[in-house]
Amino acid sequence: MRKKTYAMRYVAGQPAERIFPPSAMLPVGQALPPGAPITPGVTLRVLVWNIFKQQRADWLSVLQTFGKDAQLVLLQEAQTTPELVRFATSNYLAADQVPAFVLPQHPSGVMTLAAAHPVYCCPLREREPLLRLAKSALITAYPLPDGRMLMVVNIHAVNFSLGIDVYSKQLGPIGEQLAHHNGPVIMAGDFNAWSRQRMNALYRFARDMGLREVRFTDDHRRKAFGRPLDFVFYRELQVTEASVLVTRASDHNPLLVEFASSGSETQ
């Protein structure tokens, strides 16, 4: 029997709350619930990082140094240790994690830390066909100062699979949400795009969804078989700065991207 998919929400001073997938997609138009904008100005700073279950030293100092000024932190392999939950609830209004699988003490999965409460939260899980472990994804939405709604996809893609059937299957429900959403999008995470087949599937998906790829001039992203694993895609936003931070605090290097929330899509 498949386990129920849900997200755990962590908010300072409140008990952790279990969030189940919504019965309907993000509403289009005026039916959106009210909420404070994720950023008070025109700049949106995003940190994307596979944190390697916090197994290495200095992960917290990296988050404290580079995450404190970010309105969004998209983590993969985030283990809900007391230290991470404390950092998240001390620095962000809400942190949502999709437990992909439960380790002896703390569940691990994607976690989105945000400077605003999400008005929409859709957790997703996909089982690794060979290892039988699950990978997770999380779709959240936040109001922008100009009244538009920003959809954010945090994903850790399935890794060990033959062919791309399961890889494409994981992208399917995300594609349905993106196609339904009329507005800006950030889709980022560890895509495990280590083969030509996977890379082609990912780029085809991005093209179909009208997403552009963030380019890094000094590219120190973690690679496997010569291909980067971590990506940031976007639409209806403008990239003003993009960098890869070199650290030994994980087996992946964090990506730091700054967006201007205008409709222009130049980079």
Side-chain angles (χ1 to χ4, degrees), residues 51-108:
I51 201 171
F52 196 45
K53 303 182 186 73
Q54 299 103 276
Q55 293 182 66
R56 294 189 182 172
D58 296 332
W59 64 266
L60 185 56
S61 64
V62 171
L63 278 183
Q64 287 170 334
T65 303
F66 297 103
K68 69 177 190 299
D69 294 327
Q71 285 84 29
L72 280 168
V73 175
L74 276 56
L75 301 175
Q76 301 82 48
E77 291 193 32
Q79 207 177 151
T80 49
T81 59
E83 295 83 3
L84 179 57
V85 173
R86 194 179 307 119
F87 169 81
T89 54
S90 299
N91 294 278
Y92 294 88
L93 281 183
D96 293 284
Q97 189 227 26
V98 183
F101 58 94
V102 179
L103 297 160
Q105 283 182 296
H106 309 290
S108 171

Side-chain angles (χ1 to χ4, degrees), residues 6-9 19 74-75 95-98 110-113 118 120-125 136-142 151-156 170 174 186-188:
Y6 59 88
M8 292 300 298
R9 177 163 298 164
I19 310 289
L74 276 56
L75 301 175
D96 293 284
Q97 189 227 26
V98 183
V110 298
M111 177 185 264
T112 300
L113 286 54
Y120 178 80
C121 180
C122 181
L124 299 166
R125 289 165 80 247
S136 58
L138 179 64
I139 302 172
T140 47
Y142 311 89
M151 179 170 279
V152 177
V153 181
N154 182 357
I155 182 171
H156 191 192
Q170 188 183 15
I174 295 171
I186 295 171
M187 182 177 80

Side-chain angles (χ1 to χ4, degrees), residues 226-252:
R227 295 178 176 88
L229 301 177
D230 306 299
F231 292 84
V232 181
F233 295 94
Y234 66 99
R235 81 179 184 211
E236 293 186 35
L237 295 165
Q238 180 184 357
V239 178
T240 56
E241 202 173 316
S243 57
V244 181
L245 312 169
V246 179
T247 178
R248 294 190 176 185
S250 169
D251 62 346
H252 287 245

